[in-house]
Amino acid sequence: MISFTTDYGLSDGFVAACHGVLARLAPAARVIDVTHLVPPGDVRRGAAVLAQTVPSLPRGVHLAVVDPGVGTARRPVALATGDGSLLVGPDNGLLLPAAAALGGVATAVHLTNRVWFAASVSSTFHGRDIFAPVAARLFSGAPLSEGGPEITDLVALPDPYVEQRPGLLASDVLTVDHFGNVQLAVPASALASLPAAVLVDGAPAVHAATFGDAGPDELVLFADSAGYAAVAVNGGSAADRLSLTPDSRVTITY
């Protein structure tokens, strides 16, 4: 299995070009598309989606490309994880949360072996010319050690802001999903001591288990399926209601 996550969108041929490389070099691979609708250049969103998805996937090679620094000095890397999975992508923090979800980084290499790349490498399409060929080689059994020198200084994303004290819980937004549900960077366990009635950015909300525990069009604070605190509107969009984006910070008071 090769999973595939990008911010390439679906209106151009970028995803198909990478699928073509995988089909030519690893025809036996089953490719599972996680998403190609990560907001352009949003590494944090891509990292969160990948990390929350890989535990449900078969062990294999996880190819991920959200790469606003393509063609610069940022390194192409491949990682082996504690459960035996492999991750391939840019060294910009995208892969590390997924690696943590799969048992942590066991080995990481800086991809420098040009024999593993396409014959001609574009400075703006490393997904097609570096990362997809490497993922195909690793799927086919090539040793990770042949990809390049081992490294230990992988780039990590900054930790999101989280604050918890009596009467207040504040957090950066981690993701906003297709439904407008807002996932916070707070683990769901932080909600255990909260009362049933809270304020989210000053708006009344119900602290409950699921959307239907709130009335129609009401805000609900709940523990989501990935184990994080989240805010939703029963039958609507919490992101729209509260004017929240992936760069926002949410304050819960009680």
Side-chain angles (χ1 to χ4, degrees):
M1 189 279 307
I2 298 175
S3 80
F4 190 23
T5 305
T6 75
D7 61 350
Y8 288 163
L10 298 174
S11 60
D12 301 296
F14 305 131
V15 172
C18 294
H19 268 276
V21 171
L22 296 173
R24 284 191 294 104
L25 300 180
R30 177 187 180 192
V31 180
I32 296 175
D33 291 288
V34 176
T35 182
H36 301 294
L37 298 177
V38 173
D42 191 341
V43 177
R44 174 172 284 185
R45 173 63 186 272
V49 170
L50 184 64
Q52 292 169 32
T53 303
V54 290
S56 299
L57 300 179
R59 187 170 58 191
V61 180
H62 303 290
L63 167 61
V65 190
V66 180
D67 193 15
V70 61
T72 69
R74 75 92 188 92
R75 297 174 297 190
V77 295
L79 323 177
T81 66
D83 79 335
S85 296
L86 296 160
L87 295 107
V88 179
D91 183 25
N92 60 7
L94 177 65
L95 304 179
L96 282 182
L102 296 173
V105 177
T107 307
V109 301
H110 177 194
L111 295 168
T112 58
N113 183 355
R114 295 191 65 88
V115 173
W116 283 23
F117 305 166
S120 177
V121 175
S122 164
S123 61
T124 59
F125 200 178
H126 286 186
R128 178 194 65 191
D129 298 337
I130 295 179
F131 299 126
V134 168
R137 285 182 178 273
L138 292 173
F139 172 86
S140 300
L144 181 63
S145 59
E146 293 182 3
E150 186 170 345
I151 54 175
T152 58
D153 58 340
L154 292 164
V155 173
L157 292 169
D159 290 333
Y161 175 84
V162 174
E163 179 184 1
Q164 186 171 18
R165 51 186 170 84
L168 181 140
L169 181 62
S171 168
D172 284 345
V173 171
L174 195 58
T175 69
V176 177
D177 72 13
H178 169 74
F179 299 100
N181 301 327
V182 178
Q183 183 184 66
L184 307 180
V186 177
S189 58
L191 301 180
S193 62
L194 269 61
V198 299
L199 297 175
V200 179
D201 282 352
V206 175
H207 171 211
T210 190
F211 315 114
D213 291 336
D217 206 39
E218 286 187 345
L219 279 169
V220 57
L221 174 69
F222 65 105
D224 75 5
S225 61
Y228 288 93
V231 182
V233 168
N234 183 11
S237 166
D240 291 345
R241 173 71 60 82
L242 299 172
S243 299
L244 297 174
T245 70
D247 296 322
S248 298
R249 184 168 293 172
V250 173
T251 301
I252 299 162
T253 53
Y254 53 95

